[in-house]
Each structure stands twice: as structure tokens, then as C-alpha cells.
Amino acid sequence: MTRELAFTKMHGAGNDFVVLDGVRDELPDIEPLAARLLDRHFGIGGDQLLVVRESRAADFRMEIYNPDGSQVEMCANGIRAFYKYLRDRGHTDADEIGVETLSGVVRPRWAGENRVTVDMGLPVLEPAKIPTTLASGDGPVLDVPLEVDGVPLRVSAVSLGNPHAVIAVDDPDTAPVERLGPLIENHPLFPNRVNVEFIHAVDRSRIRQRTWERGTGETLACGSGACAVAVVSMLRGVVDRQVTVELRGGELRISWERDDAHVMMTGPAAEVFRGSFPVAEE
């Protein structure tokens, strides 16, 4: 016996998501379903699976699943899509809400014209809390020499709800993302694995970025990664405190006014289509 599972396909700057509504619908066990739903050939297709849940700590709770079934602490592109979904479905009409995630409560705010601003909080710069053993002490972790597969790199690290390794390159388009990305993701220097950004600062107001996401692979965009890239580039002194990060799927605007300020991210959120997917009855 099967039943139809309602879903909505969303994206934020090309980072695409399957959204399931656990407030409105009774959902099956999600973890074993994630790979099937996110498969681009035999399923719906998506970078990650977002699940709407009720929350005791905030207005709603967002669960995030990778194609390998693992859960993720936070996804900045995902939370913009999540918030737009809630508004579109009448779950909320508030211009700002709190969303519980594994990394804490995040507050998206409606910015008009299908754009959302997210308060990403303070960047985590202390190595042990990122976590990474690339360095010790209070941080920041900037330009640490590391050789991967015979390639000498300089790696910076920061957490914006999840860990990121940032590597400056001459041209992200020709960077060996598919070769080095998984090796760095699973490097023992990053005990919780890590997202990997290959970046180039075009000028003081613009950065180009490609991302290898842990548990997923290369994606067209990564919002928390764009925030990490901006923070690292600002700490390195190569960009100003407000920058546009150019990703393969679109652009995000990142602001970090001072070292003790919260990182703010503004970007698009859009619905692609709705449908239903057959799942076996338990």
C-alpha cells in the first residue's frame, strides 16, 4: 500500500530544496526517505530536504536533511525558502519570525519582492568551537597552510551555524572543486566534516564563490557559506564590510558592520512547483 506525500519544491539562489509540512501533514520517518526524495533521476531532486515542525523554543522548527540522510545544523538559503513557504501557506503573516534549528534560533525577516534577510548571529572564530584542529587558541583561523592530494593550500575556517573551510583561488571556475572538495570535507582536521568554499575577491565589494557542501556535493549556492566567505575576506582585509557574493545560482548581499556585530544576509527565495510523491504506508 502507498500514499501520496505532498511536497513543495523551493530554491534560494539556485540552492534547491524539497519542503515537507509536518505541521499540516502526518509525515513518515524522514531519514530513510531523504535519499529517494532528493534523487534527481528517480525522485523529486534537490540539494536538501526541509521539514516544517512545531517548536517550543520559537515560532517554528526547521529540520534539514542531506541526501545521505544526515541532518544539518543550519542552512541560510534553506531558511529563506522555509520562511517564504510559511508565508505562502498561511502559517504566518509576520514580517519576522523565530525558527528553531540545530544551531539555535534564527530570525528571518521579510525584505519584500521575494527576498528575505536573515540574522545569522555572531560568527564563530574559535577553532575548538568551529570545530577544527587547524589551529588552537581564540582564533581567527586564517590562511593556515595545508597540503591536500599534493596541492598546497591556505585554509581559513569559521562557523556560521555550521563549519566552513574557505580557500582563496585565482579562478573559482577552474578550481578542482570535485577533486579537493570531498577530501577537505572529510579531512581529520575537521571532526564534524566541513563545507568547503573556493573563492576569489573580484574587488572590495564583490566575491565569487563555489561551494562543496558536506553530505551533498557541489551546490549552486550556499548561504551560510557566503556569510563565512564574507567574514573571512573581511578579516583578511581584502573586502569592505558590505559585499555581494556571486554564486553559480545567484547573488547574496552580506553585511558584517563590526567584529562584535551579527552577520546579516539578504537574498531571494522562490517556489518552483508543488506535487505529491508516492511513499509506502507503514
Side-chain angles (χ1 to χ4, degrees), residues 8-12 15-17 19 81 84-85 88 270-272:
T8 301
K9 182 71 179 291
M10 310 282 294
H11 84 87
N15 200 184
D16 60 339
F17 310 96
V19 183
K84 177 171 169 56
Y85 173 89
D88 289 350
E271 179 178 315
V272 184

Side-chain angles (χ1 to χ4, degrees), residues 121-123 230-231 234-235 239-243 253-265:
L122 294 168
V231 166
M234 291 170 191
L235 289 173
V239 299
D240 296 330
R241 287 287 178 161
Q242 293 189 22
V243 296
R253 185 70 173 168
I254 313 298
S255 173
W256 189 37
E257 297 295 339
R258 312 176 305 278
D259 285 3
D260 61 350
H262 286 198
V263 178
M264 307 298 292
M265 174 200 63

Side-chain angles (χ1 to χ4, degrees), residues 16-227:
D16 60 339
F17 310 96
V18 176
V19 183
L20 302 181
D21 196 328
V23 172
R24 182 190 63 197
D25 303 325
E26 182 178 347
L27 300 180
D29 188 15
I30 300 299
E31 184 175 336
L33 267 180
R36 184 178 170 208
L37 294 176
L38 295 174
D39 189 285
R40 296 190 183 277
H41 300 286
F42 300 104
I44 303 162
D47 292 325
Q48 289 171 323
L49 178 64
L50 308 180
V51 183
V52 182
R53 301 287 193 187
E54 294 180 343
S55 172
R56 295 182 179 179
D59 297 297
F60 298 91
R61 177 162 57 96
M62 179 174 70
E63 294 177 357
I64 314 163
Y65 292 85
N66 283 327
D68 64 3
S70 62
Q71 284 201 60
V72 179
E73 300 93 333
M74 171 57 184
C75 175
N77 286 325
I79 203 166
R80 296 198 317 274
F82 185 87
Y83 179 37
K84 177 171 169 56
Y85 173 89
L86 295 174
R87 287 175 62 95
D88 289 350
R89 295 302 182 278
H91 284 307
T92 184
D93 59 2
D95 286 337
E96 182 175 330
I97 63 170
V99 178
E100 179 187 358
T101 73
L102 288 179
S103 69
V105 175
V106 181
R107 303 197 65 84
R109 183 174 71 246
W110 193 247
E113 298 182 351
N114 294 322
R115 294 178 66 79
V116 177
T117 296
V118 183
D119 183 341
M120 296 293 292
L122 294 168
V124 176
L125 305 178
E126 186 178 337
K129 294 180 179 179
I130 292 173
T132 180
T133 56
L134 266 175
S136 58
D138 296 332
V141 183
L142 298 176
D143 294 324
V144 178
L146 178 66
E147 184 173 304
V148 178
D149 197 26
V151 179
L153 304 170
R154 289 191 171 272
V155 181
S156 302
V158 64
S159 174
L160 267 300
N162 47 25
H164 293 270
V166 180
I167 301 164
V169 297
D170 292 334
D171 183 2
D173 287 338
T174 60
V177 174
E178 293 186 352
R179 177 163 65 97
L180 297 184
L183 298 177
I184 300 169
E185 173 196 350
N186 295 286
H187 199 286
L189 290 171
F190 298 97
N192 289 347
R193 297 190 294 167
V194 72
N195 302 285
V196 190
E197 279 75 37
F198 297 81
I199 71 163
H200 176 71
V202 179
D203 54 37
R204 295 200 63 83
S205 64
R206 179 170 290 269
I207 305 168
R208 295 174 58 227
Q209 169 184 331
R210 285 176 67 188
T211 296
W212 179 273
E213 291 199 49
R214 59 178 178 167
T216 301
E218 184 174 7
T219 57
L220 292 180
C222 178
S224 61
C227 294

